[in-house]
Amino acid sequence: MVEDVRYLGSNDGGSANIKYRLSWTEDGVTKEVEGRGTVSAFYSSRLQKGCEIDIKYLDDKNIRFVFDK
């Protein structure tokens, strides 16, 4: 779940630089992580507060958003 997302700017290629806070439930416990990343402008509408998003989580510094399956 996207708890918060802030758009910090964009680059010449049309990608948005964002700061985000995500949460999820694992074994009955809610976990949160914050970070910064770059996402294509094409997918930025999927990163709105309250939206659910698929991620690949390795650790707090290694998160990837999954937009296509």
Side-chain angles (χ1 to χ4, degrees):
M1 173 78 67
V2 178
E3 296 294 335
D4 190 34
V5 63
R6 296 182 193 226
Y7 294 90
L8 305 174
S10 59
N11 62 28
D12 293 338
S15 295
N17 300 314
I18 61 169
K19 182 176 181 180
Y20 58 83
R21 186 173 75 241
L22 308 173
S23 70
W24 68 95
T25 303
E26 188 175 310
D27 298 325
V29 176
T30 300
K31 298 186 176 192
E32 286 191 350
V33 65
E34 292 185 12
R36 293 176 184 248
T38 302
V39 63
S40 166
F42 181 75
Y43 296 118
S44 63
S45 65
R46 296 189 192 181
L47 287 170
Q48 302 293 322
K49 184 176 179 177
C51 291
E52 291 188 8
I53 185 81
D54 290 328
I55 61 170
K56 287 188 178 185
Y57 177 86
L58 297 175
D59 57 44
D60 288 355
K61 296 186 190 260
N62 293 291
I63 295 172
R64 300 290 179 257
F65 297 104
V66 180
F67 295 106
D68 296 319
K69 292 185 178 187

